[in-house]
Amino acid sequence: MLSERDHDRQPSTAIFNEATLATISRWVAYRVWHSHVPGAQVAIGLGNELVFSAAYGYADLEQRTPMRTDHLFRVASHSKTFTATLILQLVEQRRLSLDDRVGNYVAELRDHELGDIVLRELLEHTSGVLRDGEDADFWLGSRPFPDYDEMIALVSAGAKRSPGELFAYSNLGFGLLGAVLSSVTGQPYAEIVRQQITEPLNLTNTAGRYLSERADSYARGYSGLSTGLQRQRLDHVDTGALDAAAGVTSTAEDLVSYFGAHSLGDVRLLSDRAKRLMQRTANLTDPSKPDGPSYGLGMAAESFDEHRLVGHGGGYPGHITRSLLDPETGLVVVALTNAIDGPASQLAAGVLKLVDDALAHPATGGSQFSEVLDRAGRYQNLWGMLDIGVLGSRLLATHPAEWDPLDGADELEVIDHDKFRIVAGSGYGSIGESVKFSADGSLRYGSMTLRRVDELEERGDIFS
C-alpha cells in the first residue's frame, strides 16, 4: 500500500529518456571495462518505478558467460538493512522494544555481562561487541562461517568498548539480532525475510541466505588485482549464523524495489516514523570527520554534493555492492560487482551524479537532439576517450576515464548534423571552437581528430 507522498514534489521519470539512459550506460560500461572488474549490474529507480537496469561484463570469466540482470549476488552487509527492518516491524507490533536487553532473547547471554546490551545499541553498532571475533578467517574462505554455538562463543569472548561509547561496526552484533528475531518469531532468519519482506514486495530473486539450490544462477566471485595480475575464482559459501549480518542474496533490480519501499510515504514495510528512526543521522562512522558518513539503525547516511542519501554497502569474498536511496524522492541507485576490488561505490556515486545532473536540467518530452543522436557515442585518439551524449536537456562531451563523469565536461550546441560548437566547459579546453564530423565517422574536436569506437576491445589475459 502506498500513501501520503506528495507526488507534486517528486521528479518525473520522464527525464530518463532513451538518450539520457544511453549516456549513463555508456559511462558505466567504460568504467567496468577500464577498472578490469569482471562484471557488474546497475539499476536505477524513481518513485517506486524501475527506470534503468543493465548488466556489464561477465558473470563467469572462465566460461565467458555474459552478466545478466537476473544473475544473483551476495549483497553481504545490505543484510543489516533487512535485519533492522524486521526488528522495527516487531517494535511497531509491540512485540519488542529497542531498549530490551539482548539477554532477554538469547539464553546463553542472559547472565553474561553482554546480556545487558540493548537492541538499539546492536542496531547502531554502539554495543561494543567484537566485529568478527578473534578468528575471522571465515572471511578468507579458509574455514566455514560460524554456526550458532560458535557465534555465541565468539561474542562471549568479551567486549571491545563500553556499550553506547562509540560507533564500532560489528557483524557479530547483527548475528545476535538474527538470533533475537528467531527467538521472538520461532522462525529461521531466511524464513522471516521471506514472509515479511520478499513476498510482500514480490522480490523473486532475493532471499535471506545463500541459495545452494540455485548455485548456477550466481555471478561468480573473484579476487582482486592488488594481490596478483590474474583474478582467482572464489567459491560461494553459506554465512551460517551471520546471515542477519551478511547472508542476503539479491539482484540490482530487486534492491531498487526493496530500497524504494524505504522511501518516505511508502508504508509497505514500515511507517515513516520507523523509517526516519532507521535513517537518521546519529553516529559518525569516523569522529574525525564531523560532516562525514553516519549510521542510524542498520542504515548508513552520507552526503553526495549536499545530496543526503541513505543505504548500505556490502563486502563478501568476491562480491562488492552498494545501494543509495534518497528517501524524500524515492531515487535509488544500485551497483553490484563480482570482484573483491569491485568499484561498486564509485559506480553508484558516478551514476548518481549523472542522474542528479539530468534532474537539474530536465528534458521536456522526447530528446530535443533526436536528429543528431547518431553522432552520440565514443571517440578516441592517443590522448584518451571522449563520449558525446545527451543528459537531460543538454548535449555533453565527457571523459569516461574519470570517476567523476562530469569532470572536465563540455556542453555542446548543434549547428547542423555535421557541426557542433563547444559553448561551455573548462577554459583549458576549446570553448567557442567547433566539433566537425567526417563521412568516415571520425570527428575533429577543436583542433584534434578522434575516431569512432563502436565497442570496447576484447579484454586481454590480464583481465582474467
Side-chain angles (χ1 to χ4, degrees):
M1 175 180 175
L2 305 180
S3 67
E4 299 174 2
R5 183 183 293 154
D6 181 0
H7 291 280
D8 292 338
R9 296 188 296 109
Q10 304 307 309
S12 170
T13 57
I15 68 105
F16 293 103
N17 57 47
E18 184 176 348
T20 292
L21 293 178
T23 296
I24 293 172
S25 188
R26 191 180 300 117
W27 178 80
V28 174
Y30 184 83
R31 293 310 315 161
V32 169
W33 177 83
H34 192 263
S35 302
H36 306 178
V37 66
Q41 291 176 1
V42 171
I44 304 168
L46 183 63
N48 296 300
E49 182 177 341
L50 179 70
V51 295
F52 176 80
S53 177
Y56 307 86
Y58 299 106
D60 188 318
L61 283 174
E62 292 79 14
Q63 300 299 319
R64 283 298 192 259
T65 304
M67 183 73 76
R68 302 189 310 270
T69 57
D70 62 348
H71 270 114
L72 304 179
F73 275 78
R74 312 297 297 278
V75 296
S77 287
H78 281 81
S79 309
K80 295 178 176 68
T81 71
F82 285 72
T83 300
T85 298
L86 296 170
I87 291 287
L88 286 169
Q89 286 177 344
L90 292 177
V91 169
E92 292 199 308
Q93 296 165 16
R94 300 185 183 278
R95 299 172 69 185
L96 281 179
S97 166
L98 291 177
D99 293 320
D100 285 347
R101 298 173 63 253
V102 68
N104 292 350
Y105 304 99
V106 181
E108 293 84 352
L109 297 181
R110 184 166 294 126
D111 299 322
H112 193 284
E113 62 179 350
L114 295 181
D116 287 333
I117 292 170
V118 299
L119 303 186
R120 184 192 307 272
E121 292 165 337
L122 291 172
L123 285 166
E124 63 187 14
H125 296 291
T126 61
S127 68
V129 172
L130 295 176
R131 189 185 197 280
D132 295 290
E134 295 181 350
D135 179 3
D137 284 355
F138 44 84
W139 287 111
L140 303 178
S142 59
R143 70 181 188 87
F145 273 74
D147 60 15
Y148 179 82
D149 290 339
E150 185 182 359
M151 179 187 72
I152 295 300
L154 291 171
V155 169
S156 300
K160 57 183 176 181
R161 293 185 181 277
S162 298
E165 180 183 351
L166 196 66
F167 174 89
Y169 200 76
S170 176
N171 286 311
L172 291 177
F174 268 77
L176 289 177
L177 287 169
V180 170
L181 287 167
S182 293
S183 175
V184 174
T185 65
Q187 301 281 354
Y189 179 76
E191 178 61 17
I192 310 168
V193 170
R194 185 188 68 79
Q195 292 179 6
Q196 298 301 120
I197 296 178
T198 64
E199 283 197 349
L201 298 182
N202 194 30
L203 305 181
T204 58
N205 285 317
T206 300
R209 62 179 179 87
Y210 171 56
L211 300 174
S212 58
E213 65 274 22
R214 295 182 63 184
D216 291 340
S217 297
Y218 283 86
R220 303 296 183 188
Y222 293 91
S223 65
L225 293 178
S226 60
T227 54
L229 293 180
Q230 290 191 326
R231 297 188 184 277
Q232 303 300 313
R233 180 167 163 167
L234 303 175
D235 292 331
H236 293 289
V237 297
D238 193 286
T239 46
L242 296 187
D243 278 350
V248 169
T249 283
S250 195
T251 64
E253 289 185 1
D254 269 13
L255 287 177
V256 160
S257 296
Y258 166 71
F259 278 100
H262 283 83
S263 57
L264 297 177
D266 188 324
V267 296
R268 287 175 293 172
L269 295 180
L270 293 169
S271 69
D272 280 359
R273 181 181 182 183
K275 289 197 290 285
R276 289 190 178 98
L277 189 64
M278 188 176 180
Q279 301 166 7
R280 76 196 193 288
T281 299
N283 300 284
L284 291 175
T285 60
D286 184 345
S288 69
K289 299 176 180 178
D291 297 321
S294 65
Y295 206 91
L297 300 182
M299 193 82 84
E302 190 170 357
S303 292
F304 293 80
D305 296 330
E306 299 183 358
H307 189 164
R308 183 183 181 275
L309 299 165
V310 299
H312 221 288
Y316 175 87
H319 284 180
I320 302 296
T321 54
R322 188 76 164 100
S323 297
L324 301 171
L325 162 69
D326 181 338
E328 296 289 341
T329 65
L331 172 65
V332 184
V333 176
V334 178
L336 312 181
T337 62
N338 62 332
I340 208 165
D341 58 353
S345 292
Q346 296 95 317
L347 287 172
V351 169
L352 174 69
K353 197 170 190 76
L354 292 170
V355 169
D356 275 350
D357 192 81
L359 290 170
H361 303 90
T364 55
S367 173
Q368 66 194 81
F369 303 105
S370 57
E371 295 183 0
V372 295
L373 285 181
D374 61 320
R375 297 305 194 188
R378 178 160 293 135
Y379 300 81
Q380 74 171 29
N381 63 16
L382 177 66
W383 290 91
M385 297 282 191
L386 184 75
D387 280 355
I388 292 180
V390 174
L391 201 60
S393 61
R394 300 198 296 166
L395 182 64
L396 300 178
T398 59
H399 304 279
E402 302 295 335
W403 274 117
D404 180 343
L406 297 178
D407 186 18
D410 290 334
E411 185 172 357
L412 308 177
E413 173 188 63
V414 176
I415 304 302
D416 57 42
H417 186 262
D418 297 323
K419 184 178 180 181
F420 300 167
R421 179 180 291 115
I422 305 166
V423 294
S426 170
Y428 283 101
S430 303
I431 298 177
E433 299 181 35
S434 296
V435 179
K436 298 179 181 179
F437 296 87
S438 300
D440 63 3
S442 65
L443 63 79
R444 183 174 292 277
Y445 195 89
S447 59
M448 288 196 289
T449 300
L450 296 93
R451 67 178 178 87
R452 181 77 176 241
V453 184
D454 290 324
E455 294 184 9
L456 296 172
E457 296 177 4
E458 183 67 21
R459 302 170 184 223
D461 289 340
I462 192 172
F463 301 105
S464 300

PDB file of all heavy atoms in Angstrom, residues 417-428:
ATOM      1  N   HIS A 417      23.841  18.883 -38.622  1.00  0.00           N
ATOM      2  CA  HIS A 417      24.124  17.467 -38.379  1.00  0.00           C
ATOM      3  C   HIS A 417      25.611  17.169 -38.338  1.00  0.00           C
ATOM      4  O   HIS A 417      26.057  16.242 -37.641  1.00  0.00           O
ATOM      5  CB  HIS A 417      23.447  16.611 -39.456  1.00  0.00           C
ATOM      6  CG  HIS A 417      23.569  15.145 -39.212  1.00  0.00           C
ATOM      7  ND1 HIS A 417      24.536  14.377 -39.836  1.00  0.00           N
ATOM      8  CD2 HIS A 417      22.876  14.305 -38.400  1.00  0.00           C
ATOM      9  CE1 HIS A 417      24.424  13.117 -39.425  1.00  0.00           C
ATOM     10  NE2 HIS A 417      23.425  13.049 -38.555  1.00  0.00           N
ATOM     11  N   ASP A 418      26.405  17.936 -39.055  1.00  0.00           N
ATOM     12  CA  ASP A 418      27.832  17.661 -39.166  1.00  0.00           C
ATOM     13  C   ASP A 418      28.710  18.619 -38.371  1.00  0.00           C
ATOM     14  O   ASP A 418      29.945  18.531 -38.423  1.00  0.00           O
ATOM     15  CB  ASP A 418      28.274  17.708 -40.641  1.00  0.00           C
ATOM     16  CG  ASP A 418      27.593  16.643 -41.474  1.00  0.00           C
ATOM     17  OD1 ASP A 418      27.389  15.535 -40.943  1.00  0.00           O
ATOM     18  OD2 ASP A 418      27.252  16.927 -42.637  1.00  0.00           O
ATOM     19  N   LYS A 419      28.075  19.525 -37.624  1.00  0.00           N
ATOM     20  CA  LYS A 419      28.879  20.524 -36.921  1.00  0.00           C
ATOM     21  C   LYS A 419      28.200  20.937 -35.622  1.00  0.00           C
ATOM     22  O   LYS A 419      27.028  21.321 -35.605  1.00  0.00           O
ATOM     23  CB  LYS A 419      29.098  21.751 -37.806  1.00  0.00           C
ATOM     24  CG  LYS A 419      30.006  22.809 -37.191  1.00  0.00           C
ATOM     25  CD  LYS A 419      30.206  23.964 -38.172  1.00  0.00           C
ATOM     26  CE  LYS A 419      31.109  25.039 -37.587  1.00  0.00           C
ATOM     27  NZ  LYS A 419      31.294  26.175 -38.528  1.00  0.00           N
ATOM     28  N   PHE A 420      28.946  20.834 -34.529  1.00  0.00           N
ATOM     29  CA  PHE A 420      28.527  21.337 -33.225  1.00  0.00           C
ATOM     30  C   PHE A 420      29.489  22.451 -32.813  1.00  0.00           C
ATOM     31  O   PHE A 420      30.543  22.653 -33.415  1.00  0.00           O
ATOM     32  CB  PHE A 420      28.570  20.238 -32.155  1.00  0.00           C
ATOM     33  CG  PHE A 420      27.706  19.040 -32.413  1.00  0.00           C
ATOM     34  CD1 PHE A 420      27.887  17.885 -31.658  1.00  0.00           C
ATOM     35  CD2 PHE A 420      26.721  19.046 -33.390  1.00  0.00           C
ATOM     36  CE1 PHE A 420      27.106  16.770 -31.861  1.00  0.00           C
ATOM     37  CE2 PHE A 420      25.929  17.930 -33.611  1.00  0.00           C
ATOM     38  CZ  PHE A 420      26.129  16.779 -32.847  1.00  0.00           C
ATOM     39  N   ARG A 421      29.112  23.168 -31.753  1.00  0.00           N
ATOM     40  CA  ARG A 421      30.017  24.167 -31.177  1.00  0.00           C
ATOM     41  C   ARG A 421      30.141  23.914 -29.682  1.00  0.00           C
ATOM     42  O   ARG A 421      29.160  23.583 -29.002  1.00  0.00           O
ATOM     43  CB  ARG A 421      29.503  25.583 -31.409  1.00  0.00           C
ATOM     44  CG  ARG A 421      30.414  26.670 -30.785  1.00  0.00           C
ATOM     45  CD  ARG A 421      29.910  28.068 -31.023  1.00  0.00           C
ATOM     46  NE  ARG A 421      30.006  28.450 -32.417  1.00  0.00           N
ATOM     47  CZ  ARG A 421      28.970  28.707 -33.208  1.00  0.00           C
ATOM     48  NH1 ARG A 421      27.731  28.611 -32.719  1.00  0.00           N
ATOM     49  NH2 ARG A 421      29.134  29.043 -34.468  1.00  0.00           N
ATOM     50  N   ILE A 422      31.357  24.055 -29.138  1.00  0.00           N
ATOM     51  CA  ILE A 422      31.604  23.909 -27.702  1.00  0.00           C
ATOM     52  C   ILE A 422      31.246  25.241 -27.053  1.00  0.00           C
ATOM     53  O   ILE A 422      31.906  26.253 -27.281  1.00  0.00           O
ATOM     54  CB  ILE A 422      33.084  23.553 -27.424  1.00  0.00           C
ATOM     55  CG1 ILE A 422      33.474  22.306 -28.214  1.00  0.00           C
ATOM     56  CG2 ILE A 422      33.312  23.343 -25.931  1.00  0.00           C
ATOM     57  CD1 ILE A 422      34.985  22.060 -28.270  1.00  0.00           C
ATOM     58  N   VAL A 423      30.192  25.253 -26.223  1.00  0.00           N
ATOM     59  CA  VAL A 423      29.688  26.523 -25.691  1.00  0.00           C
ATOM     60  C   VAL A 423      29.987  26.717 -24.205  1.00  0.00           C
ATOM     61  O   VAL A 423      29.849  27.830 -23.692  1.00  0.00           O
ATOM     62  CB  VAL A 423      28.172  26.656 -25.925  1.00  0.00           C
ATOM     63  CG1 VAL A 423      27.874  26.750 -27.408  1.00  0.00           C
ATOM     64  CG2 VAL A 423      27.414  25.499 -25.289  1.00  0.00           C
ATOM     65  N   ALA A 424      30.392  25.658 -23.502  1.00  0.00           N
ATOM     66  CA  ALA A 424      30.711  25.798 -22.080  1.00  0.00           C
ATOM     67  C   ALA A 424      31.645  24.669 -21.666  1.00  0.00           C
ATOM     68  O   ALA A 424      31.622  23.580 -22.242  1.00  0.00           O
ATOM     69  CB  ALA A 424      29.444  25.776 -21.229  1.00  0.00           C
ATOM     70  N   GLY A 425      32.461  24.958 -20.649  1.00  0.00           N
ATOM     71  CA  GLY A 425      33.407  23.965 -20.165  1.00  0.00           C
ATOM     72  C   GLY A 425      34.619  24.634 -19.567  1.00  0.00           C
ATOM     73  O   GLY A 425      34.606  25.837 -19.262  1.00  0.00           O
ATOM     74  N   SER A 426      35.677  23.889 -19.395  1.00  0.00           N
ATOM     75  CA  SER A 426      36.906  24.419 -18.824  1.00  0.00           C
ATOM     76  C   SER A 426      37.610  25.344 -19.805  1.00  0.00           C
ATOM     77  O   SER A 426      37.679  25.058 -21.014  1.00  0.00           O
ATOM     78  CB  SER A 426      37.849  23.262 -18.448  1.00  0.00           C
ATOM     79  OG  SER A 426      39.133  23.766 -18.113  1.00  0.00           O
ATOM     80  N   GLY A 427      38.147  26.420 -19.267  1.00  0.00           N
ATOM     81  CA  GLY A 427      38.907  27.344 -20.094  1.00  0.00           C
ATOM     82  C   GLY A 427      40.182  26.746 -20.649  1.00  0.00           C
ATOM     83  O   GLY A 427      40.780  27.285 -21.589  1.00  0.00           O
ATOM     84  N   TYR A 428      40.631  25.630 -20.072  1.00  0.00           N
ATOM     85  CA  TYR A 428      41.794  24.936 -20.614  1.00  0.00           C
ATOM     86  C   TYR A 428      41.443  24.146 -21.870  1.00  0.00           C
ATOM     87  O   TYR A 428      42.315  23.626 -22.554  1.00  0.00           O
ATOM     88  CB  TYR A 428      42.385  23.978 -19.584  1.00  0.00           C
ATOM     89  CG  TYR A 428      43.207  24.661 -18.515  1.00  0.00           C
ATOM     90  CD1 TYR A 428      42.681  24.897 -17.253  1.00  0.00           C
ATOM     91  CD2 TYR A 428      44.511  25.078 -18.782  1.00  0.00           C
ATOM     92  CE1 TYR A 428      43.425  25.532 -16.275  1.00  0.00           C
ATOM     93  CE2 TYR A 428      45.267  25.709 -17.805  1.00  0.00           C
ATOM     94  CZ  TYR A 428      44.723  25.931 -16.548  1.00  0.00           C
ATOM     95  OH  TYR A 428      45.466  26.556 -15.580  1.00  0.00           O
TER      96      TYR A 428
END
